[in-house]
Structures are given as structure tokens and as C-alpha cells.
Amino acid sequence: MLAITSLLNPQNADRINSIIRSLETEFGLDDVQATPDPHITYQLAGVRKGAALRQVLRGVARNTRPFVAHTTGLGIFPGPNPVIYIPVLRCDALNQLHHRIRQATAPLCLRTDKFSGPDCWLPHISLALHDTTPELLGPVMQYLNQQTFDLKLSISNLAILRQEGEKFTAEKILPFEGHRQEAAPTLFGPENQPLPGCN
């Protein structure tokens, strides 16, 4: 399975990695570091043709403008190994990007995860997973509760993460280019006459 994601910008990534390292120091939680680049996941997908996937995602990135998303609070996915995460608030730009990714990749996906659907998708940034226990939840949440998690994220790329051994690394990063394709405003009207206020 591949993960279709957006990597966080360096400033936000440094903040998240600092929190993750502190959880390793305080509680020995380090499994989340198998993916060293903090990110938002849009979809987990099994595909047969990686080149075709890269091509359709390049098209999505080429026509997407960078935008801002926000986080707030903390969340938990319960289970034997609870996932502790920072929720990313869904906004129009994020929802539209998620829809366009799913639409573009649908013909290529052999399988996908059930949580990528529009009704189930909960964008988030993982802080701890796999090596957590229900017993650790209380102390970890009490520790994290001393901080705030209101972040302003610059979403400016798509990245394909692939598993290599125990690590997930970025196979391809596609910067958003929609803002580069906008035509510069013209100073002349249809008959090469200056527009009002331009002479």
C-alpha cells in the first residue's frame, strides 16, 4: 500500500517532530517515527502502475494552489494500541483536494482503506501509534495537555509515501503549481487601448 499525503512545511514539521521526540524521551513511544516526515494522509491505496499514479497526482498538484489549514486539540483512535493525534480541521480547500485525489486515483486503485471515504475521512497528524497502550493514555494525555495544538499549516504539496522495510519514506513530492498558472492582469483593453486608470 502507498500513502497519498501532504508533507508539512519545515516549521510545522519541526514542531511535530519535537513533540514526537519528547514522547520517546518521556514514555518510550517511538513507533510513529517509522514515518519520519509529519504529514496529512488523504488515502492509502494499492496500485499496480506507480507511474500512472504519479502522472495523475502530478496533474492534481499542477492545478492546485497552496492553501492554509488549521489544527486544534488532541484526538484518540481507541483500541489495543490507541493512536494519539492532532486533528486537522476540514475546510473547503482540504475537502476539495481530497475529492480530487480520490476521483483521479479511483481507476488505478486495486484496493483502498475504508477510512479514506469522504464520510469517514478524518485528517490528522499522528503523534503516537502501534506502541501505545490503554494504560499509557492517561499519563501521555496529561503530559500533552500542558501544550496547545493550534497550528496554522501551509498545504503546498502532494507526496507519495512508500514502505521500505520498517520505514515509510517519500517516493515522490509534487509541489502545488496552481498559483503559477494564473495569467498576469493585462494593462490594455481588447483593442490595445489602455484600461481606465492605466494611462
Side-chain angles (χ1 to χ4, degrees), residues 186-188 193-199:
T186 180
L187 299 179
F188 294 93
Q193 297 299 315
L195 293 172
C198 294
N199 49 4

Side-chain angles (χ1 to χ4, degrees), residues 72-76 84-87 127 140-141 143-145 147 149:
T72 189
L74 289 167
I76 299 167
I84 301 169
Y85 64 89
I86 302 172
L127 298 179
V140 171
M141 295 302 284
Y143 172 78
L144 291 173
N145 193 48
Q147 308 177 51
F149 299 93

Side-chain angles (χ1 to χ4, degrees), residues 128-149:
L129 71 165
H130 302 318
D131 55 354
T132 56
T133 64
E135 293 73 26
L136 270 177
L137 267 185
V140 171
M141 295 302 284
Q142 187 173 3
Y143 172 78
L144 291 173
N145 193 48
Q146 301 171 45
Q147 308 177 51
T148 59
F149 299 93

